Amino acid sequence: MPTVYITAPPESAESIAERLVEDRLAACVNRLSTSSTYRWDGEVQREDEAVLLAKTTDEAYDALVDRVREIHPYDVPCIERFDESHVLESFAGWRAENVA
Amino acid sequence: MPTVYITAPPESAESIAERLVEDRLAACVNRLSTSSTYRWDGEVQREDEAVLLAKTTDEAYDALVDRVREIHPYDVPCIERFDESHVLESFAGWRAENVA
Amino acid sequence: MPTVYITAPPESAESIAERLVEDRLAACVNRLSTSSTYRWDGEVQREDEAVLLAKTTDEAYDALVDRVREIHPYDVPCIERFDESHVLESFAGWRAENVA
């Protein structure tokens, strides 16, 4: 099952998380505070952001990515898929039930 | 080697982390604060939790999952396995030495 | 593409993140606060640390590991590679452009 790693500005992160759960594109989203260091226009920058870890299913992954692109304030958002090699069966069942 | 992703209530997270290390089921556990958005009984909910990232071995993985299920306050805890594709050799050796 | 998971003392974490981006070994590094529980000299210890998640490329991975080992204050640092199974194409392109 996929966990989707998304970064977002602190002020948008909660509404992205809520939208993904409301729209049944993720069963659960964990939001963590982060400080991001990156290169932009050739300069090293630092910015407070949030990391979202969205728990979804194979079937819903593409629709989740499309929704994030639609509502995310960045033109080039960080959206990455990591696949679990094992998930506790009852939790996997709960996830599948709560994703459309 | 597996990293196990577990979420827990803030008040239980530290004792779960300590127990896994005491019982030599993990060499190290990183605990991070998170805000979780999820669907429960059809409603979108939000709760403060902790994410635990437990560094263990192939051999100890099943026993770690059993222990978490035994001591975790939730009936359906989030327990997920992610496998590293490479680990610094000296760190992998330290991990293996500190897991039973 | 690899995400590299590194832990570091809070006072070193920001300079490690900056160095990796300055040296074009990572396009972006997310830094998160963590409390680590681990076994050292047979005793369970707890310490505040940071988790760094460095976004890099296949080609730069080995050089990134070498640089972290060179500048990291620990003899046995936690350096682990996790491979994404999918990355948004525009973000993957941005990452590749910003890594040497």
Side-chain angles (χ1 to χ4, degrees):
Chain A
M1 292 185 117
T3 287
V4 192
Y5 185 112
I6 301 156
T7 56
E11 65 276 13
S12 313
E14 188 177 333
S15 66
I16 294 171
E18 279 181 8
R19 183 71 184 277
L20 296 179
V21 176
E22 271 169 15
D23 291 354
R24 305 182 70 93
L25 294 168
C28 175
V29 180
N30 296 141
R31 178 162 50 91
L32 300 98
S33 297
T34 192
S35 172
S36 298
T37 303
Y38 57 98
R39 183 176 294 273
W40 199 260
D41 279 336
E43 294 294 316
V44 179
Q45 318 264 353
R46 191 151 56 85
E47 198 82 55
D48 287 338
E49 291 190 297
V51 171
L52 300 176
L53 295 161
K55 308 295 176 177
T56 189
T57 60
D58 281 341
E59 293 73 18
Y61 175 72
D62 289 340
L64 181 151
V65 172
D66 287 346
R67 181 63 39 90
V68 174
R69 295 183 67 187
E70 180 194 320
I71 62 179
H72 199 291
Y74 298 166
D75 288 334
V76 185
C78 169
I79 307 177
E80 302 169 335
R81 173 180 177 149
F82 292 93
D83 274 277
E84 298 137 26
S85 37
H86 181 253
V87 182
L88 185 68
E89 200 177 352
S90 56
F91 185 74
W94 174 78
R95 249 162 97 162
E97 266 171 46
N98 285 282
V99 171
Chain B
M1 294 184 117
T3 287
V4 192
Y5 185 112
I6 302 155
T7 55
E11 64 277 13
S12 312
E14 188 176 333
S15 67
I16 295 171
E18 278 181 7
R19 183 71 183 277
L20 295 179
V21 176
E22 272 169 15
D23 291 354
R24 304 181 70 92
L25 295 168
C28 175
V29 180
N30 296 141
R31 179 163 50 91
L32 300 98
S33 297
T34 191
S35 172
S36 298
T37 304
Y38 56 98
R39 183 177 294 273
W40 200 258
D41 279 337
E43 294 294 316
V44 178
Q45 317 264 353
R46 191 151 56 85
E47 198 82 54
D48 286 338
E49 291 191 297
V51 171
L52 300 175
L53 295 161
K55 308 294 175 177
T56 190
T57 60
D58 281 341
E59 293 74 17
Y61 175 73
D62 289 341
L64 181 150
V65 172
D66 287 346
R67 183 60 41 88
V68 173
R69 294 183 67 186
E70 181 194 320
I71 62 179
H72 199 292
Y74 299 165
D75 289 333
V76 184
C78 169
I79 306 177
E80 302 170 334
R81 173 180 177 148
F82 291 93
D83 274 275
E84 297 136 25
S85 36
H86 181 252
V87 182
L88 186 69
E89 200 177 352
S90 57
F91 184 75
W94 173 79
R95 249 163 96 162
E97 266 172 45
N98 285 282
V99 172
Chain C
M1 294 185 116
T3 287
V4 193
Y5 185 112
I6 302 156
T7 56
E11 64 276 13
S12 312
E14 187 176 334
S15 66
I16 294 171
E18 278 180 7
R19 183 71 183 279
L20 296 179
V21 175
E22 271 168 15
D23 291 355
R24 305 182 70 92
L25 294 168
C28 175
V29 180
N30 296 140
R31 179 162 50 91
L32 300 97
S33 297
T34 191
S35 172
S36 297
T37 303
Y38 56 98
R39 184 176 292 273
W40 200 258
D41 280 337
E43 294 294 316
V44 178
Q45 317 264 354
R46 192 150 57 84
E47 198 81 55
D48 287 338
E49 290 190 298
V51 171
L52 300 176
L53 295 161
K55 308 294 174 177
T56 189
T57 60
D58 281 340
E59 293 73 19
Y61 175 73
D62 289 341
L64 181 151
V65 172
D66 288 346
R67 182 61 42 88
V68 173
R69 294 183 65 186
E70 181 195 321
I71 62 179
H72 199 290
Y74 298 164
D75 289 333
V76 184
C78 169
I79 308 177
E80 302 169 334
R81 173 180 177 149
F82 291 93
D83 274 277
E84 297 137 25
S85 37
H86 181 253
V87 182
L88 185 69
E89 199 176 353
S90 57
F91 185 74
W94 174 77
R95 250 162 96 162
E97 266 171 45
N98 284 283
V99 171

